[in-house]
Amino acid sequence: MDVFSPVTALAGIGPQRAKQLEKLNIRTLYDLLAYFPRAYEDRTVFLPIGALEQGTPACFTAMVVSEPRTAHVRKGMDITRVQVADETGKLTLTFFNQSYVKDSLRYGESYRFHGTLSDSYAGQMANPAFEPADRAGLVTGRILPIYALTAGISNSLLIKCVQNALAACAGALPEILPDSVLHQYNLCPTRMAYETIHRPASWELLAEARRRLVFEEFFIFSAGLAVMRKRSRLAAQPYACTQMNAFYAALPFSLTSAQQQAIDDILSDLASGTVMNRLVQGDVGSGKTMVAAAAAYCTVKNGHQAAFMVPTEILAEQHAKSLSALFAPLGIDVVLLTGSLSAAAKREAKAKLADGTAHLAVGTHALLTADVSFSDLGLVVTDEQHRFGVAQRAQLAAKARTPHLLVMSATPIPRTLALIAYGDLDVSVISELPPGRQKIDTFLVGEDMRRRVNAFIRRECASGHQAYIVCPAVEDGETDTLKSAAVWAETLQQAVFPELRVGLLHGRMKGAEKEAALAAFARHETDILVATTVVEVGVDVPNATLMVIENAERFGLSQLHQLRGRVGRGSAKSYCILFSDTKNAETRARLKALCATNDGFAIAEQDLALRGPGDFFGSRQHGLPAFKAANLQMDLDTLRQAQQAASVCIQNADDLAAPEFAPLCRRIEALFAQSDIALN
Ligand code: ADP
Ligand code: MG
């Protein structure tokens, strides 16, 4: 059977099961095979009943020595009790709301059980798993895989589905890794790896299988990056960078020397004759936009187009506006392209990009759609890179043969991770802020300070400034202690600040509504903007001097720092107030760390130190693909080997379109979740 057949090809999986499985992103037999257990339970140890220890799970074989009886204890709750025994002792098993066990446990017959002897009731065990002694091996006497589950799908059901899928097509799994690599790194073959990961015969074999699958996954990832790197070493026509003075003269301020250095790095890349791949890292407010603008200016003056890709529509609109203002007098035409533009506006923008009348496109993911084409794309800038994956970078790059690539990020990331995610990039760091910025004073307060904070908000607004109030959720939902933006905005307007103008901004508003809310705030038609984290990235309203964050414990440190970066953008003194009543000492330490410093890089280090790299790697902030088997933290050695093997393999491959590379290319594409990485 083909490994990419839909799951419904298996006996016992109908449309409804298929729908439930889809919630786990399982659609094909291959998805089932690649749905690796999240943990394993050791059920290999059998003990006589007399040797069972309280609180320690174990297997045992026993005979049913009483008729099972079900009692209804109260509405919605029944208990089934049965006694079992072996020659060393006797046990009472209790099953809660599982009255069906009455029919599966027969008086006088032997079963194998797995369970934990109760800590509090001597001689009792609750809800053990069991199976007939003569047909055992599914839930006892084995290393049991534990899968992540969803409603309607139990662990034993998943075990059955996966086993059926293995039986149907394990032999048809293509071998991704070249023979030479299998040999050199001593890796087990595909089929064995997949069978073992789901049904390990021993812990040793499981470790072998896992190593192979992790290697495979990293190999695929590294091969994808190697393909991109191979591309990026391509020659490019050198740009002349001699006309920058008009650009510098048009700026409303003089650049900091760190900005100038980054621009010089970029210009020398553009002039070099090979494709630029550069990361500009600079703290919130360090002025990265102008650095990107300089690169765009140079590109356009050399007769090519530039694309500026940002993670949110709000940011796109804002950048489009400020870049148009800067560039229009310089004869450069800027167009905005986002998902929520009207069809007509989109059509017009696309037409201007396709025929070259527009020089600079500013947009969101909409720039990635297949029907956007450029007449001559020379530069791609992605802003706030942590929201964009390696994949999107590749995808946009694929829209031109060899565009220069500029990546802007405020998120400092650990070195190992940088090597993986940005291994193909050169780095410029903007290490200073524009002059005149004052420290943003940050305070951690509890609910008892609410009145004083409200008075402070009133005072700031009375003196002509504006405030953000950020809430963790949009509508009242999960828990009532969380301020939700919509409800909170209403309350504040009605009951707290009737004399002030309160606006609302959240991610679920329509594009035009969002734009209107932000524009009103920027024009000072509202005094207070109640928002979710949609304001986190890049929003720039220099008149805002106060950032209040509700339920601050819900946010990561780096995220709080980004939010705080929305104020202190002008010359007025700015403040950030973190509301939290959390008792958790570790969380309080995190929030206090934020109060103590304004340095984003120091905060990221703190975040790492306090939360550990696990959190960082797990947070998906880095834009790496989601690995199924691999764990970036634990498997770094395997990663290095796989990188090595993949780079040799890609280097030696003359033609990745050759049939023997088809399975590898398919997996690269799936991992990067996109179809048009340019493979040659
Ligand atoms: P980043 O993207 O790095 O967070 P921005 O590019 O949004 O920062 O710049 C933050 C603010 O600082 C903007 O209002 C911008 O106009 C201003 N700015 C940038 N560079 C300078 C400079 N050299 N001098 C004064 N203000 C600057
Ligand atoms: Mg920015």
Side-chain angles (χ1 to χ4, degrees), residues 253-256 259 283-290 384 434-435 437 540 569:
F253 39 68
S254 48
L255 295 165
T256 63
Q259 281 172 311
D283 205 355
V284 192
S286 60
K288 294 184 290 295
T289 314
M290 284 308 139
E384 308 296 352
R437 296 285 167 78
D540 189 26
R569 301 177 82 81

Side-chain angles (χ1 to χ4, degrees), residues 530-610:
V530 178
T532 55
T533 52
V534 289
V535 300
E536 172 192 344
V537 180
V539 168
D540 189 26
V541 180
N543 191 48
T545 53
L546 181 54
M547 167 62 68
V548 178
I549 301 171
E550 304 287 344
N551 301 98
E553 72 279 357
R554 294 270 302 206
F555 301 93
L557 267 193
S558 294
Q559 198 177 16
L560 290 170
H561 178 64
Q562 286 282 337
L563 285 167
R564 177 169 64 177
R566 296 314 106 215
V567 297
R569 301 177 82 81
S571 50
K573 177 82 184 166
S574 294
Y575 306 88
C576 174
I577 295 176
L578 310 171
F579 266 107
S580 180
D581 277 318
T582 181
K583 299 281 181 295
N584 184 306
E586 191 188 309
T587 309
R588 292 197 78 82
R590 270 198 307 129
L591 297 175
K592 289 237 171 77
L594 190 77
C595 298
T597 177
N598 272 258
D599 177 347
F601 286 82
I603 286 162
E605 299 268 307
Q606 277 272 356
D607 215 3
L608 275 177
L610 288 167

Side-chain angles (χ1 to χ4, degrees), residues 254-460:
S254 48
L255 295 165
T256 63
S257 57
Q259 281 172 311
Q260 189 63 61
Q261 183 56 55
I263 292 175
D264 290 345
D265 291 347
I266 291 166
L267 295 180
S268 86
D269 288 349
L270 295 178
S272 71
T274 45
V275 171
M276 170 172 76
N277 287 276
R278 182 166 293 277
L279 169 68
V280 172
Q281 224 173 39
D283 205 355
V284 192
S286 60
K288 294 184 290 295
T289 314
M290 284 308 139
V291 171
Y297 180 81
C298 177
T299 303
V300 173
K301 283 297 158 189
N302 277 273
H304 310 284
Q305 292 168 299
F308 200 127
M309 190 158 80
V310 299
T312 65
E313 300 209 337
I314 290 181
L315 198 52
E317 278 144 17
Q318 197 175 290
H319 277 331
K321 213 157 91 199
S322 57
L323 291 173
S324 304
L326 174 70
F327 279 143
L330 296 168
I332 294 177
D333 191 17
V334 180
V335 293
L336 171 69
L337 190 58
T338 63
S340 66
L341 287 184
S342 72
K346 256 186 238 169
R347 214 174 313 121
E348 191 195 330
K350 283 179 199 165
K352 288 174 82 177
L353 291 172
D355 70 12
T357 38
H359 306 111
L360 173 61
V362 180
T364 54
H365 290 82
L367 286 176
L368 294 176
T369 49
D371 61 342
V372 177
S373 62
F374 292 82
S375 120
D376 177 13
L377 183 61
L379 169 72
V380 172
V381 180
T382 70
D383 194 12
E384 308 296 352
Q385 161 73 15
H386 62 285
R387 297 295 184 88
F388 273 125
V390 178
Q392 280 97 337
R393 200 159 86 218
Q395 214 172 341
L396 191 51
K399 289 197 173 291
R401 260 182 47 78
T402 51
H404 295 289
L405 219 49
L406 183 60
V407 172
M408 322 278 277
S409 175
T411 318
I413 56 175
R415 221 186 125 57
T416 35
L417 190 51
L419 283 176
I420 303 163
Y422 302 134
D424 51 337
L425 302 180
D426 302 314
V427 181
S428 300
V429 177
I430 307 184
S431 52
E432 68 183 307
L433 297 179
R437 296 285 167 78
Q438 299 185 47
K439 179 175 178 294
I440 303 164
D441 285 340
T442 307
F443 305 95
L444 175 60
V445 302
E447 210 43 51
D448 55 323
M449 292 285 283
R450 180 67 67 184
R451 282 167 150 278
R452 288 181 61 184
V453 171
N454 285 347
F456 187 58
I457 294 173
R458 238 174 243 120
R459 213 182 71 203
E460 281 297 295

Side-chain angles (χ1 to χ4, degrees), residues 13 31 39 136 177 184 223 230 255 302 354 383 385 441 493 504 519 552 564 585 643 656:
I13 302 188
D31 294 337
L177 300 172
Q184 188 182 343
K230 201 173 179 179
L255 295 165
N302 277 273
D383 194 12
Q385 161 73 15
D441 285 340
Q493 180 70 85
L504 172 65
R564 177 169 64 177
Q643 268 178 327
L656 284 168

Side-chain angles (χ1 to χ4, degrees), residues 68-245:
R69 278 205 168 50
T70 299
H72 292 277
V73 278
R74 59 182 142 83
K75 200 165 176 249
M77 160 81 95
D78 61 51
I79 298 182
T80 305
R81 284 201 175 77
V82 64
Q83 290 201 317
V84 300
D86 67 6
E87 54 280 15
T88 66
K90 210 168 171 185
L91 268 186
T92 303
L93 307 182
T94 50
F95 297 87
F96 295 95
N97 285 343
Q98 298 176 51
S99 53
Y100 58 84
V101 305
K102 240 175 29 182
D103 306 318
S104 10
L105 287 173
R106 296 246 163 79
Y107 182 80
E109 294 196 5
S110 276
Y111 297 84
R112 290 188 167 187
F113 298 89
H114 176 266
T116 309
L117 203 56
S118 165
D119 268 336
S120 21
Y121 301 98
Q124 294 213 23
M125 180 179 285
N127 302 325
F130 62 90
E131 58 198 350
D134 55 351
R135 279 179 286 126
L138 203 57
V139 296
T140 67
R142 65 178 293 185
I143 298 171
L144 189 82
I146 310 289
Y147 296 95
L149 303 174
T150 183
I153 302 281
S154 69
N155 200 52
S156 44
L157 180 73
L158 255 179
I159 291 179
K160 223 172 280 165
C161 292
V162 170
Q163 289 307 318
N164 288 344
L166 280 169
C169 65
L173 279 166
E175 179 58 80
I176 302 281
L177 300 172
D179 269 352
S180 56
V181 172
L182 289 179
H183 260 98
Q184 188 182 343
Y185 296 95
N186 198 12
L187 301 164
C188 69
T190 308
R191 176 177 188 158
M192 188 173 161
Y194 278 88
E195 284 175 345
T196 305
I197 201 84
H198 293 294
R199 199 186 170 95
S202 73
W203 294 102
E204 290 73 29
L205 288 170
L206 175 60
E208 277 303 293
R210 199 181 160 270
R211 190 170 71 85
R212 139 92 216 198
L213 292 168
V214 169
F215 190 101
E216 171 177 320
E217 198 165 32
F218 279 146
F219 183 88
I220 291 161
F221 173 68
S222 308
L225 282 187
V227 169
M228 280 166 63
R229 236 182 330 259
K230 201 173 179 179
R231 277 187 70 252
S232 72
R233 290 218 199 84
L234 296 175
Q237 176 204 339
Y239 290 4
C241 302
T242 47
Q243 329 170 44
M244 296 303 293
N245 284 340

